[in-house]
Amino acid sequence: MRLFVYVLIVAVASPALVVGYVLMMLRGWGEMRRSGLSITAANALLNRTLLHRLGRRPDPVAASLLPRVPYLSRPGRVLMNGPLYWATRITGWYPGSLRYDVAAAESPSGMFGARTAFFDAALTRCRPRVRQLLILGAGFDTRSFTHARGLPVFEVDLPAMQALKRRLLLESGWRRDDIVFAPVDFDRDRWLEALTARGFDPALPTFVLWEGVSFYLRAPAVGETLRAISSLAPGTVLAFDYFSRRVAEPTTRSGRLVKRLSRLNGEEFRFGLPTRPPAREHAAAFVRQYGLRLVDYQAIGPEAPPREPLGGLVTAVRE
């Protein structure tokens, strides 16, 4: 019954959802074209703010940043988030996109909530054994405030995104003096050199979070990043996600359409790994070639043959 009422509310509100999405994308696409800011980083912020408002995952920093993001239309935000929030609040039914647990990854629609839960749990579990947190492609990530208090933090991202995030943190009153920001383009720059010049110590075991980034890079950049991580101290932990190779190299009409849409967003899908069952073994073999051992894995989407997962969530350790 709860599901029925939820679907009914969302169906009635669907015109508002569509208009909100169009307003958001038009504003975001124009700003992305002008300044290189990331639409996908804003999508993650939208999801985590909803989780916060629904009491699923406390994140007051995300809730403070969201209304200040200049390329997110306020009417678009309200029209998109409002119906989803109230449908969930009224019925108590949580769709995959608003579930905060790893099992939500059984459906691709649950990817945002599942990967947030997966990486939160990995950081919490590994924190006693690491000495610093490194976030590659940080976007609007707020774990520096919610999951890493007292742990030195280094954030790497494109200059435009990093400058915007720093400004929004300042405007919203959130401050940590021990966060080091390093502007870097993964496809062009040597991020480890930029970090060490800012005080990062490669000899300390580090938790490296690389969320929502690998699929937008070219394969050589992914390999260089993993080689750099494998050069860090033993005990270093890498947590990252990836899409299937069939997303980056589609062979179907629908797959090619998705890839074209990603290109229009300015964040084209370029890299993927094999996900045919057993996907976990493919992921383990991939990280092994860079001197890392797979310690935790979660497929995104069903693994039952002949279907393939959309991607995977990985935690690996440098021994």
Side-chain angles (χ1 to χ4, degrees):
M1 178 59 73
R2 289 188 302 165
L3 173 59
F4 174 78
V5 176
Y6 177 90
V7 171
L8 182 63
I9 294 172
V10 171
V12 170
S14 58
L17 289 167
V18 171
V19 171
Y21 179 78
V22 170
L23 289 174
M24 293 259 293
M25 291 305 295
L26 286 176
R27 179 84 173 264
W29 191 58
E31 188 65 29
M32 176 271 298
R33 289 291 186 185
R34 184 180 68 82
S35 59
L37 298 173
S38 171
I39 294 177
T40 56
N43 289 339
L45 186 65
L46 280 163
N47 183 261
R48 289 173 190 175
T49 298
L50 265 178
L51 291 175
H52 170 77
R53 292 184 63 201
L54 290 166
R56 307 295 281 181
R57 177 184 184 268
D59 195 341
V61 187
S64 297
L65 295 182
L66 181 66
R68 293 178 167 84
V69 177
Y71 61 96
L72 291 182
S73 157
R74 186 177 186 279
R77 289 200 322 270
V78 172
L79 290 172
M80 270 192 67
N81 277 8
L84 297 177
Y85 171 81
W86 284 110
T88 300
R89 193 63 126 183
I90 291 169
T91 65
W93 175 265
Y94 288 85
S97 59
L98 294 179
R99 285 176 56 190
Y100 176 58
D101 63 85
V102 175
E106 294 170 358
S107 165
S109 66
M111 176 179 175
F112 274 122
R115 78 178 188 185
T116 299
F118 184 90
F119 295 138
D120 284 353
L123 177 54
T124 300
R125 185 171 61 249
C126 299
R127 181 178 171 176
R129 304 193 301 273
V130 298
R131 300 284 298 281
Q132 53 195 358
L133 169 63
L134 169 58
I135 308 178
L136 300 176
F140 295 114
D141 193 285
T142 57
R143 291 184 178 91
S144 302
F145 296 89
T146 58
H147 290 76
R149 280 288 186 184
L151 197 66
V153 178
F154 296 82
E155 292 196 7
V156 176
D157 209 341
L158 293 169
M161 275 301 301
Q162 200 163 80
L164 174 61
K165 180 179 181 179
R166 296 180 71 176
R167 176 168 66 82
L168 298 186
L169 284 171
L170 184 64
E171 289 177 358
S172 56
W174 294 99
R175 178 174 176 175
R176 270 194 62 174
D177 294 329
D178 57 347
I179 300 179
V180 176
F181 295 93
V184 164
D185 184 332
F186 285 100
D187 275 323
R188 301 174 185 172
D189 303 326
R190 295 184 179 275
W191 57 266
L192 187 52
E193 292 180 4
L195 279 173
T196 52
R198 290 169 170 80
F200 178 80
D201 188 350
L204 296 178
T206 305
F207 188 93
V208 183
L209 178 60
W210 198 29
E211 180 180 6
V213 180
S214 71
F215 19 92
Y216 302 119
L217 302 179
R218 302 185 192 281
V222 172
E224 285 299 316
T225 299
L226 289 170
R227 275 187 284 274
I229 292 169
S230 68
S231 73
L232 302 180
T236 289
V237 177
L238 167 64
F240 76 102
D241 55 343
Y242 65 89
F243 276 159
S244 168
R245 183 169 290 168
R246 62 189 170 87
V247 176
E249 303 170 10
T251 57
T252 64
R253 181 179 299 178
S254 60
R256 287 190 288 270
L257 175 60
V258 169
K259 186 173 174 70
R260 281 196 293 271
L261 289 173
S262 74
R263 189 180 300 126
L264 283 174
N265 282 342
E267 295 173 298
E268 180 181 355
F269 297 132
R270 292 170 172 161
F271 174 80
L273 293 177
T275 54
R276 62 186 182 278
R280 180 188 181 101
E281 292 184 12
H282 296 303
F286 176 71
V287 297
R288 191 183 305 124
Q289 64 184 313
Y290 296 100
L292 303 170
R293 178 175 60 85
L294 183 78
V295 294
D296 199 7
Y297 174 82
Q298 173 67 48
I300 300 170
E303 289 191 87
R307 302 176 69 181
E308 294 183 21
L310 178 66
L313 307 170
V314 167
T315 304
V317 64
R318 154 71 161 106
E319 294 183 318

